[in-house]
């Protein structure tokens, strides 16, 4: 067939012919790929002549496949396009390219079965079009959706893979995405020989540029990947097709390749603004005889096609849920391609696990009503089978085969511009978080609000459920830590026994408690067969029973301090154990410092008390649930009061241990009597001007540091100021520096400046209080605090410029390897945000922990993304679902402001709050008034400074 074209016909001629034959309007999402003479899969260039691209055209197979994967399949406005996308998803699943977990696999296979076989008996389920739509809805949330991996290595020789998506260039290690470079951050993409180069835009806060380098197998590999990157960027980011570059007069330099075709915006605008005459077509299930009776002996005609389909589905399920590898003998017969030349192949036979015979996958169960049928072989590894389009394909009328030269939607066609459920397709949406978050529509939201309870007590109980899920995951971190270090001989038996006896009973107990809460909420929501509502629309009885069951375990809660002490002693005695702990803390599952997990059981009791207080405040005294809630509150308050004193000491001890890891050049930081008060950023005035320093205030001494030049990201101590005999005064008039004050010690004086008046007031208030306390107490001796601070004046002042320069110009590798020390602790956040945080703030943050589902929206996006969000440790942690073991991303909230969107922002939704820091804006949407109030409350605890009254009252009750 290829020889029917002109000698110099371009690739676009062939591609348009294929789209015309299929009556495909939105053909711009697709392409023709083939294996070139170097055995590499490449896309047919629309500009170059075909004869220059196909060396041996008679022996070349061109595969019609999806080339550009949009973030939202609702942007695909025609049913035929969505059907072809569904075929691509089935193909990717069967060959192991699209990996997923068991639950996603089961969900996708169920939609494939519905699309292929249809309804069970007399039930009315989804149509094939709706099943395809739902299949795409599940598939687009997967991390490997639309990903085509290109092998590469970074500068250090680590084996990686590069890929491109609508958001930008991605870096994978195996099937795990480890880095992403958004198009907005990429300044230039290029390649030089085997090296693929990504030049990033300059950072807003600095003047340096960063070029990332990857090594690929050959120059051709680089060029193939570079081309698809150029096309992806143009298709999703540009408003119109880029114009060709003018030809140089003398010589050319570099590649003249450019994207050819309509951009996604042009496709969407064209389809919506044009009026097409709709070509009639019909979607069918496979030819299955539905029996109204469950006969044990179905007719041969009844099981003829299901045998074929079941073989494929069994192989598909086994492939995607167990191996995730390419299995040529089990590949899907749903693949679609165009082959040159068009030849007949024998039908492929699958071994049938049901009858032990060979199930013939041939054309007898497929139909296509078209005057000019297109032979579409299904690619099965190195073999293929000739068949028509699959049974659930659009069946075109006889007249459709004689379409009037319609090429890729360029002539009259009426378009199906609605999704299967009748909703209008959404406009272009912004990139999603890891392309793995679901989008909930307004219709779904409205249905959900009508279906679920609206009582405030229900949402309080739901908070118990969501936070209990997070708490159980935190307990699992400790049990996995116990398994990791428990098998090592370097771990003392006493430490093993202490962790085992403390956390194993708690994990077992709370697993059962969570199960009971989930069952009660399911009954409350009416998601069960129970028809009696009144007895189940309460939570106090469940709380009372489990609080009483938890009481015998509270003796173990006193051992939390023992665990911290035992772990600290063991790490000091064994460098190997210290390394094991450090390695475990670097794992993704350990999203906050390890010592914080150890104190979680104590914090959880405070949360139970708060939840029960809200319930008792909400209920009238006559409510059926009030008595149980009040009794449970009395029990848990008794336990909290008993543990309150030890909790304060343990939190201080935990914070000292954490700070010890962040500091270099300090000895004996963790000593009896020392208490942490505040840490944060101040500018120290020296001969070279104001220089950023990190200050740490304790009840006996002030340390000032700068961020070290080593790979550990720790802070190097440059000086200490004992509080004994210190005075403090404001110095703005004296030095002409806003928000400055002077610390006058017995040996030296230091002038510092805060970033704002509020910050200065907080620092001065805490320092004055600490000075007063040290006058009347015998605190720890600060003489033994540090051992390398004798030359801390000129050297530390003169080294800052070099240090900052190294930080800015340090070469970054393509793979962001975890440093030996965590670089995202609160100390580092305060350093980058130029703010401070006190021990009182940490205590308030402990009381304000929250988790649950939120809908998130970026400033310039249209879609709302459903995420599981956990708030703790002054940060939001984002997950795909509550079942995930580790977060996808985090957002430290120090420095952010939380407000309600204004009318000008056009957020016409209820229960929405806005997070804002400099140019970063996020919108979050909650499900009810109660959850909105709770999220605003807990986030304000991290973003709004505590009032002086609150701080003073807290310090009076718990003096440092």
């Amino acid at each position: 067939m290829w020889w029917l074209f002109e000698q110099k016909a371009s690739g676009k001629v062939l591609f348009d012919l294929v789209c015309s034959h299929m009556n495909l309007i939105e053909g711009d999402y697709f392409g023709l790929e083939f294996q070139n003479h170097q055995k590499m899969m490449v896309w047919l260039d629309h500009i170059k002549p075909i004869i220059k691209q196909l060396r041996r055209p008679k022996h070349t197979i061109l595969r019609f496949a999806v080339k550009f994967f949009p973030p939202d399949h609702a942007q695909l406005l025609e049913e035929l396009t969505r059907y072809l996308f569904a075929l691509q998803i089935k193909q990717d699943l069967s060959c192991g390219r699209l990996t997923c977990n068991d639950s996603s696999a089961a969900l996708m296979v169920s939609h494939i079965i519905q699309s292929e076989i249809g309804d069970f008996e007399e039930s009315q389920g989804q149509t094939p079009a709706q099943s395809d739509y739902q299949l795409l809805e599940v598939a687009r949330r997967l991390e490997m959706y639309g990903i085509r991996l290109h092998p590469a290595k970074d500068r250090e020789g680590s084996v990686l893979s590069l890929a491109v998506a609508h958001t930008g260039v991605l870096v994978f290690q195996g099937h795990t995405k480890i880095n992403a470079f958004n198009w907005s951050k990429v300044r230039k993409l290029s390649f030089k020989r085997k090296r693929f180069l990504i030049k990033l835009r300059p950072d807003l806060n600095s003047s340096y540029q960063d070029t990332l380098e990857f090594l690929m197998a050959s120059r051709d590999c680089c060029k193939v990947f570079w081309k698809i990157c150029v096309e992806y960027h143009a298709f999703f980011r540009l408003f119109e097709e880029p114009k060709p570059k003018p030809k140089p007069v003398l010589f050319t330099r570099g590649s003249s390749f450019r994207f050819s075709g309509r951009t996604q915006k042009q496709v969407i605008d064209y389809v919506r603004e044009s009026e097409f005459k709709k070509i009639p077509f019909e979607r069918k299930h496979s030819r299955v005889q539905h029996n109204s009776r469950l006969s044990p002996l179905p007719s041969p005609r009844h099981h003829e096609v299901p045998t074929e389909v079941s073989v494929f589905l069994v192989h598909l399920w086994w492939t995607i849920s167990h191996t995730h590898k390419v299995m040529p003998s089990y590949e899907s017969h749903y693949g679609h391609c165009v082959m040159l030349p068009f030849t007949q192949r024998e039908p492929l036979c699958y071994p049938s696990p049901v009858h032990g015979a060979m199930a013939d996958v041939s054309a007898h169960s497929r139909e296509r009503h078209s005057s000019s049928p297109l032979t579409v072989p299904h690619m099965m590894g190195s073999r293929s089978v000739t068949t028509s389009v699959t049974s659930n394909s659009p069946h075109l009328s006889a007249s459709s085969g004689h379409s009037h030269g319609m090429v890729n939607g360029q002539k009259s066609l009426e378009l199906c511009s609605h999704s299967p459920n009748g909703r209008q397709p959404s406009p272009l949406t912004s990139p999603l978080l890891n392309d793995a978050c679901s989008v909930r529509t307004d219709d779904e939201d409205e249905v959900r609000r009508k279906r679920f309870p609206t009582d405030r007590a229900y949402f309080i109980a739901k908070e118990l459920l969501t936070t209990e899920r997070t708490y159980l995951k935190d307990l699992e971190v400790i049990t996995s830590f116990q398994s990791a270090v428990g098998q090592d001989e370097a771990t003392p038996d006493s430490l093993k026994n202490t962790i085992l006896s403390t956390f194993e009973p708690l994990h077992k107990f709370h697993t059962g408690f969570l199960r009971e809460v989930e069952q009660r909420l399911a009954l409350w929501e009416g998601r069960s067969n129970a028809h009696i509502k009144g007895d189940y629309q309460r939570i106090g009885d469940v709380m009372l029973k489990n609080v009483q069951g938890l009481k015998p375990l509270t003796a173990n809660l006193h051992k939390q301090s023992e665990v911290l002490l035992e772990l600290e002693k063991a790490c000091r005695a064994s460098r190997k154990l210290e390394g094991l702990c450090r390695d475990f803390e670097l794992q993704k599952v350990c999203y906050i410092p390890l010592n914080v997990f150890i104190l979680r059981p104590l914090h959880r009791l405070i949360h139970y008390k708060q939840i029960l207080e809200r319930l008792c405040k909400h209920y009238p005294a006559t409510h059926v649930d009030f008595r149980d809630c009040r009794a449970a509150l009395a029990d848990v308050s008794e336990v909290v009061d008993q543990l309150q004193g030890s909790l304060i000491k343990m939190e201080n001890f935990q914070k000292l241990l954490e700070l010890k890891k962040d500091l270099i050049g300090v000895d004996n930081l963790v000593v009896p009597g020392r208490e942490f008060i505040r840490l944060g950023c101040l500018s120290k005035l020296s001969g070279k001007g104001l220089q950023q320093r990190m200050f740490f205030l304790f009840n006996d001494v002030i340390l000032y540091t700068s961020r070290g030049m080593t790979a550990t990201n720790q802070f190097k101590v440059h000086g200490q100021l004992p509080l004994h005999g210190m005075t403090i005064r404001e110095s703005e008039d004296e030095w002409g520096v806003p928000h400055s004050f002077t610390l006058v010690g017995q040996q030296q004086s230091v002038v510092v400046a805060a970033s704002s008046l509020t910050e200065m007031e907080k620092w001065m208030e805490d320092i004055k209080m600490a000075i007063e306390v040290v006058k009347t107490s015998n605190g720890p001796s600060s003489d033994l605090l540090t051992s390398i601070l004798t030359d801390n004046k000129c050297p530390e002042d003169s080294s800052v410029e070099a240090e900052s320069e190294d930080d800015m110009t340090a070469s970054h590798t393509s793979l962001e390897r975890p440093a030996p020390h965590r670089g995202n602790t609160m100390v580092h956040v305060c350093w980058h945000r130029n703010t401070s945080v006190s021990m009182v703030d940490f205590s308030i943050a402990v009381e304000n922990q929250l988790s649950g589902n939120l809908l998130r929206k970026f400033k310039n996006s249209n879609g709302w993304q459903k995420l599981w969000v956990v708030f703790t440790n002054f940060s939001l942690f984002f997950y795909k679902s509550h079942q995930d073991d580790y977060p996808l991303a985090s957002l430290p909230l120090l420095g952010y402001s939380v407000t309600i969107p204004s009318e000008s922002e056009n957020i016409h939704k209820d229960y929405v709050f806005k997070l804002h820091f400099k140019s970063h804006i996020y919108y979050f949407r909650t499900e009810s008034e109660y959850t909105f109030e709770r999220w605003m409350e807990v986030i304000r605890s991290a973003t709004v400074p505590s009032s002086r009254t609150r701080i003073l009252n807290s310090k009076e009750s718990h003096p440092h």
Side-chain angles (χ1 to χ4, degrees):
M1 191 174 189
W2 64 274
W3 51 81
L4 299 179
F5 301 122
E6 295 181 4
Q7 183 73 18
K8 295 183 179 180
S10 65
K12 190 176 188 302
V13 175
L14 176 58
F15 181 74
D16 287 346
L17 181 65
V18 173
C19 292
S20 174
H21 187 93
M22 300 175 68
N23 293 300
L24 179 61
I25 301 172
E26 299 170 297
D28 303 82
Y29 291 99
F30 303 88
L32 297 175
E33 61 176 352
F34 63 96
Q35 191 176 66
N36 64 10
H37 65 284
Q38 297 173 324
K39 307 298 182 182
M40 298 172 57
M41 294 302 298
V42 297
W43 294 99
L44 185 69
D45 194 322
H46 287 193
I47 299 178
K48 284 186 177 181
I50 299 176
I51 196 66
K52 288 188 177 181
Q53 301 183 64
L54 307 182
R55 295 286 182 90
R56 303 175 64 190
K58 292 185 178 181
H59 302 279
T60 301
I61 295 177
L62 294 173
R63 299 181 181 182
F64 180 82
V66 176
K67 187 175 184 180
F68 301 110
F69 288 82
D72 187 359
H73 57 280
Q75 297 171 5
L76 308 176
L77 304 182
E78 195 194 24
E79 182 181 334
L80 173 60
T81 311
R82 291 191 293 270
Y83 163 69
L84 294 175
F85 265 76
L87 290 184
Q88 185 68 63
I89 295 302
K90 296 171 188 177
Q91 176 71 15
D92 290 350
L93 283 171
S94 65
C95 70
R97 179 182 282 169
L98 179 60
T99 58
C100 60
N101 56 30
D102 287 347
S103 59
S104 297
L107 192 56
M108 287 189 287
V109 168
S110 67
H111 290 308
I112 293 173
I113 294 174
Q114 176 67 25
S115 176
E116 181 68 21
I117 300 178
D119 301 337
F120 176 76
E121 295 302 323
E122 301 299 328
S123 64
Q124 294 183 351
Q126 297 175 341
T127 65
Q130 291 172 331
S131 299
D132 289 342
Y133 193 87
Q134 294 303 322
L135 173 64
L136 296 176
E137 174 67 25
V138 177
R140 73 178 183 85
R141 305 178 202 167
L142 302 177
E143 190 165 67
M144 296 301 294
Y145 169 69
I147 296 300
R148 304 295 182 258
L149 299 177
H150 298 255
K153 293 182 180 180
D154 65 3
R155 288 179 177 175
E156 299 180 2
S158 300
V159 178
L160 307 170
S161 295
L162 299 180
V164 63
H166 67 281
T167 56
V169 182
L170 313 177
V171 183
F172 284 80
Q173 197 166 46
H175 284 80
T176 303
K177 183 167 67 174
I178 60 175
N179 212 338
F181 304 104
N182 196 285
W183 291 127
S184 61
K185 297 180 180 179
V186 176
R187 181 171 176 264
K188 182 180 180 182
L189 294 175
S190 61
F191 64 95
K192 187 175 183 180
R193 298 184 180 89
K194 295 182 180 181
R195 293 180 297 144
F196 184 80
L197 306 173
I198 304 176
K199 179 173 287 188
L200 302 180
R201 294 188 182 278
D203 189 86
L204 295 176
N205 299 321
S206 59
S207 59
Y208 75 98
Q209 297 182 3
D210 198 356
T211 301
L212 306 173
E213 181 179 313
F214 299 87
L215 188 66
M216 307 189 82
S218 64
R219 179 186 181 276
D220 291 327
C221 292
C222 282
K223 188 172 184 179
V224 168
F225 182 62
W226 175 78
K227 280 186 174 181
I228 189 63
C229 287
V230 170
E231 292 181 311
Y232 252 84
H233 176 268
F235 184 75
F236 287 108
R237 297 280 291 183
L238 300 185
F239 291 109
E240 59 185 15
E241 177 184 355
K243 298 179 180 179
K245 298 179 181 178
K247 293 184 178 181
V249 179
L250 298 178
F251 59 89
T252 62
R253 181 180 180 183
S255 175
S256 61
F257 176 80
R258 66 178 177 87
F259 171 73
S260 174
R262 295 179 298 195
T263 65
Q264 187 191 36
K265 184 181 185 303
Q266 288 178 310
V267 174
I268 293 176
D269 292 345
Y270 174 77
V271 171
R272 286 178 176 168
E273 294 171 3
S274 303
E275 294 184 359
F276 298 105
K277 180 180 179 181
K278 186 176 180 180
I279 293 181
F281 62 87
E282 179 185 1
R283 295 290 300 278
K284 288 185 179 181
H285 294 294
S286 297
R287 293 179 176 178
V288 181
Q289 296 284 334
H290 292 287
N291 289 339
S292 59
R293 295 172 296 173
L294 296 177
S295 172
L297 297 174
S299 64
R301 184 179 180 85
H302 179 77
H303 69 261
E304 177 182 350
V305 174
T307 299
E308 165 200 330
V309 176
S310 65
V311 171
F312 160 67
L313 293 174
V314 168
H315 294 330
L316 176 60
W317 166 257
W318 190 87
T319 302
I320 64 181
S321 64
H322 291 80
T323 63
H324 299 313
K325 296 179 180 178
V326 178
M327 302 186 64
S329 61
Y330 292 157
E331 284 193 26
S332 168
H333 58 275
Y334 288 98
H336 45 290
C337 72
V338 179
M339 184 172 70
L340 294 179
F342 299 112
T343 59
Q344 288 290 107
R345 301 291 182 94
E346 67 218 36
L348 179 69
C349 296
Y350 289 91
S352 171
V354 181
H355 303 286
M358 302 299 288
D360 184 13
V361 183
S362 58
H364 69 83
S365 64
R366 315 291 186 215
E367 295 183 20
R368 181 183 178 100
H369 305 292
S370 176
S371 60
S372 55
L374 174 65
T375 303
V376 183
H378 298 295
M379 301 313 298
M380 302 291 302
S382 59
R383 300 176 290 178
S384 62
V385 54
T386 301
T387 180
S388 303
V389 178
T390 54
S391 60
N392 55 353
S393 63
H395 290 261
L396 306 177
S397 64
S399 61
S400 66
H402 301 283
S403 59
H404 304 284
M406 192 279 297
V407 177
N408 199 9
Q410 298 298 319
K411 290 192 177 180
S412 61
L413 259 180
E414 184 179 344
L415 188 66
C416 176
S417 60
H418 296 272
S419 56
N421 57 6
R423 296 197 308 266
Q424 288 289 343
S426 65
L428 292 174
T429 59
S430 68
L432 306 179
L433 173 65
N434 284 327
D435 303 334
C437 309
S438 61
V439 176
R440 191 162 80 187
T441 64
D442 298 335
D443 294 341
E444 292 170 337
D445 190 45
E446 187 64 27
V447 169
R448 192 180 186 283
R449 289 188 185 181
K450 292 180 180 179
R451 190 177 67 183
F452 284 94
T454 57
D455 182 30
R456 187 178 183 88
Y458 162 76
F459 292 108
I460 298 175
K462 191 171 182 181
E463 180 183 337
L464 172 66
L465 170 65
T466 56
T467 53
E468 189 70 16
R469 284 172 173 167
T470 300
Y471 173 57
L472 192 62
K473 284 287 186 182
D474 290 347
L475 288 179
E476 291 173 359
V477 174
I478 297 298
T479 56
S480 61
F481 170 73
Q482 189 268 335
S483 301
V485 302
Q487 300 175 357
D488 196 278
E489 57 184 12
T491 307
D493 292 336
S494 59
L495 178 61
K496 297 178 186 177
N497 297 332
T498 303
I499 296 178
L500 185 65
S501 62
T502 302
F503 291 97
E504 283 294 337
L506 286 172
H507 183 267
K508 182 178 180 181
F509 173 83
H510 286 281
T511 300
F513 179 36
L514 176 60
R515 190 181 305 113
E516 289 188 44
V517 176
E518 287 176 334
Q519 291 171 353
R520 176 55 58 87
L521 265 293
L523 293 171
W524 200 331
E525 294 169 354
R527 290 187 282 120
S528 69
N529 294 325
H531 300 288
I532 304 175
K533 293 185 177 180
D535 290 341
Y536 296 111
Q537 292 186 347
R538 57 178 181 163
I539 197 67
D541 56 333
V542 177
M543 289 290 290
L544 178 60
K545 170 190 170 185
N546 285 275
V547 167
Q548 292 174 345
L550 185 61
K551 267 191 171 183
L553 299 177
T554 55
N556 288 335
L557 298 183
H558 290 283
K559 297 182 180 180
Q560 309 305 102
S561 58
E562 297 178 19
V563 176
L564 291 175
L565 287 170
E566 286 279 347
L567 187 58
E568 169 66 11
K569 291 179 181 177
C571 289
R572 279 204 307 251
S574 172
R575 183 169 295 181
K576 182 178 180 182
L577 179 60
E578 184 182 12
L580 289 174
C581 295
R582 183 174 60 248
D583 292 341
F584 182 84
E585 201 169 21
L586 289 173
Q587 294 182 18
K588 291 181 180 180
V589 70
C590 195
Y591 63 99
I592 55 179
L594 177 61
N595 288 335
V596 178
F597 286 108
I598 296 177
L599 298 183
R600 276 292 193 250
L602 295 168
H603 300 157
R604 189 58 181 157
L605 289 174
I606 299 176
H607 302 157
Y608 290 152
K609 180 182 177 182
Q610 293 174 338
I611 289 173
L612 287 166
E613 286 174 344
R614 294 189 195 101
L615 284 170
C616 290
K617 184 177 180 181
H618 168 70
Y619 285 138
T622 56
H623 194 279
V624 65
D625 204 24
F626 178 76
R627 178 175 296 181
D628 288 339
C629 288
R630 187 173 61 179
L633 176 59
D635 287 342
V636 76
S637 297
E638 179 185 353
V639 177
V640 170
D641 292 341
Q642 293 173 356
L643 297 172
Q644 186 67 36
S646 59
L647 174 59
I648 296 171
K649 294 179 181 178
M650 281 185 277
E651 286 181 342
N652 180 72
F653 182 56
Q654 180 270 324
K655 185 55 60 180
L656 291 176
L657 292 175
E658 184 180 340
L659 293 178
K660 180 183 176 183
K661 299 177 182 178
D662 287 317
L663 297 176
I664 296 178
V666 59
D667 296 331
N668 300 328
L669 180 66
V670 185
V671 295
R674 176 163 290 129
E675 296 178 2
F676 164 71
I677 300 178
R678 179 176 292 276
L679 66 85
C681 230
L682 293 171
S683 296
K684 179 176 174 291
L685 185 62
S686 67
K688 291 193 174 183
L690 291 172
Q691 296 177 323
Q692 186 177 5
R693 292 288 179 266
M694 198 70 181
F695 278 70
F696 299 84
L697 172 63
F698 301 93
N699 64 335
D700 63 324
V701 68
I702 299 176
L703 302 181
Y704 56 93
T705 69
S706 64
R707 195 167 68 167
M709 299 171 62
T710 63
T712 60
N713 288 325
Q714 292 169 286
F715 287 81
K716 182 180 179 182
V717 178
H718 288 295
Q720 61 171 319
L721 301 170
L723 294 182
H724 183 72
M726 177 182 288
T727 59
I728 182 173
R729 68 173 185 269
E730 292 190 33
S731 307
E732 182 171 344
D733 295 336
E734 180 180 356
W735 296 99
V737 178
H739 320 309
S740 61
F741 56 95
T742 303
L743 302 173
V744 182
Q746 291 183 336
Q747 297 181 354
Q748 69 177 110
S749 298
V750 175
V751 179
V752 295
S755 59
S756 65
L757 177 61
T758 303
E759 278 292 304
M760 183 189 74
E761 291 174 345
K762 288 191 293 184
W763 274 105
M764 292 188 66
E765 184 176 351
D766 283 350
I767 294 174
K768 288 179 180 178
M769 180 204 65
I771 292 174
E772 292 300 319
V773 171
V774 82
K775 292 179 181 179
T776 58
S777 64
N778 296 321
S781 173
S782 59
D783 296 337
L784 302 177
L785 186 61
T786 58
S787 59
I788 54 173
L789 300 175
T790 56
D791 55 346
N792 57 3
K793 293 185 179 179
C794 296
E796 68 98 6
D797 287 337
S798 61
S799 66
V800 176
E801 295 301 326
E803 171 202 27
S804 302
E805 187 69 22
D806 285 351
D807 285 344
M808 289 193 300
T809 59
S811 61
H812 293 256
T813 59
S814 58
L815 172 60
E816 293 184 355
R817 297 179 176 276
H821 179 73
R822 297 173 70 92
N824 59 348
T825 62
M826 196 51 54
V827 181
H828 293 85
V829 175
C830 289
W831 174 267
H832 291 293
R833 301 274 170 86
N834 199 17
T835 186
S836 68
V837 63
S838 70
M839 188 64 202
V840 175
D841 295 325
F842 280 106
S843 299
I844 296 173
V846 165
E847 300 174 8
N848 291 281
Q849 296 181 17
L850 196 59
S851 54
N853 286 314
L854 290 177
L855 297 177
R856 190 191 68 176
K857 179 184 178 299
F858 295 110
K859 178 182 178 181
N860 297 319
S861 66
N862 295 315
W864 291 90
Q865 306 147 31
K866 186 177 181 181
L867 299 166
W868 177 262
V869 184
V870 174
F871 171 78
T872 186
N873 213 39
F874 300 97
S875 300
L876 293 178
F877 296 90
F878 302 103
Y879 301 75
K880 293 180 184 178
S881 74
H882 68 85
Q883 298 173 335
D884 290 355
D885 293 327
Y886 56 85
L888 298 169
S890 64
L891 179 65
L893 295 180
L894 287 180
Y896 270 81
S897 62
V898 55
T899 58
I900 300 174
S902 62
E903 287 292 331
S904 60
E905 294 174 271
N906 295 321
I907 306 295
H908 304 298
K909 304 294 179 184
D910 295 330
Y911 315 130
V912 176
F913 62 89
K914 169 186 172 183
L915 286 176
H916 181 207
F917 175 73
K918 294 184 178 179
S919 61
H920 304 284
I921 296 177
Y922 305 93
Y923 301 99
F924 292 92
R925 186 173 161 196
T926 63
E927 63 179 344
S928 69
E929 182 180 4
Y930 171 79
T931 51
F932 170 77
E933 293 172 354
R934 285 291 294 134
W935 280 104
M936 288 285 286
E937 177 186 354
V938 299
I939 291 177
R940 275 176 175 161
S941 71
T943 58
V944 179
S946 302
S947 65
R948 290 189 176 191
T949 304
R950 173 66 183 273
I951 293 176
L952 290 174
N953 290 341
S954 301
K955 289 174 180 176
E956 288 172 3
S957 58
H958 312 305
H960 296 283

